[in-house]
Amino acid sequence: MDKVLRFGVSIPKELVRAFDARIRGKGYSNRSEAIRDIMRDYLVEGEWESGQGEVVGTVTIVYDHHVRELSNVLTNLQHGFHDAILCTTHVHLDEHNCLEVVVVKGTSEQVRAIADRLISTRGVKHGKLVCTTSGECLR
Ligand code: NI
């Protein structure tokens, strides 16, 4: 494991109290682990902003498969991006609604473009892109 570096930081008391209350509610057992996670999240955000290298995203969409041609349109779209799409999981939520999680790898621009296309497809009821990382920037 990498060496641990300890450092002092000056933070207003009220800010620390509010932070501690929030991380306790989230289940963190100590402040360090919460700060490490926030730092990692900040680095992943930077990875997406830089546009350099490969990132990973998951696109979650919910749609009604009874909407005419929608399933075909979504499948054709995904075939068009087969180089970047790692996998797709489909769940039949009920008689009408389907949920799909599409895992996409590429530059942040590519991943966002694929997510935008899927989410904006007519008939998709809800969609969300979660921007994460291949892990390379978080050694
Ligand atoms: Ni389905």
Side-chain angles (χ1 to χ4, degrees), residues 65 90-93 97-99:
H65 76 273
H90 185 106
V91 180
H92 310 303
L93 294 172
N97 294 297
C98 302
L99 175 142

Side-chain angles (χ1 to χ4, degrees), residues 24-124:
R24 248 195 322 276
K26 291 281 183 186
Y28 284 101
S29 56
N30 66 69
R31 201 181 283 151
S32 294
E33 188 54 31
I35 291 170
R36 282 192 287 271
D37 277 358
I38 290 166
M39 289 174 89
R40 291 185 191 112
D41 195 44
Y42 189 69
L43 291 172
V44 170
E45 202 182 297
E47 204 183 352
W48 277 75
E49 277 174 15
S50 78
Q52 306 296 312
E54 279 189 325
V55 295
V56 177
T58 57
V59 187
T60 301
I61 52 174
V62 174
Y63 63 93
D64 183 342
H65 76 273
H66 289 121
V67 172
R68 201 169 166 271
E69 282 299 303
L70 181 53
S71 297
N72 280 339
V73 169
L74 290 169
T75 302
N76 287 337
L77 242 171
Q78 292 182 46
H79 276 273
F81 296 115
H82 67 91
D83 283 344
I85 292 176
L86 301 178
C87 74
T88 301
T89 297
H90 185 106
V91 180
H92 310 303
L93 294 172
D94 57 34
E95 284 179 17
H96 299 275
N97 294 297
C98 302
L99 175 142
E100 271 184 19
V101 179
V102 185
V103 181
V104 190
K105 190 178 184 182
T107 66
S108 55
E109 197 182 342
Q110 287 170 327
V111 177
R112 273 190 212 287
I114 293 168
D116 286 346
R117 289 286 299 279
L118 290 168
I119 292 167
S120 68
T121 298
R122 193 166 164 268
V124 171

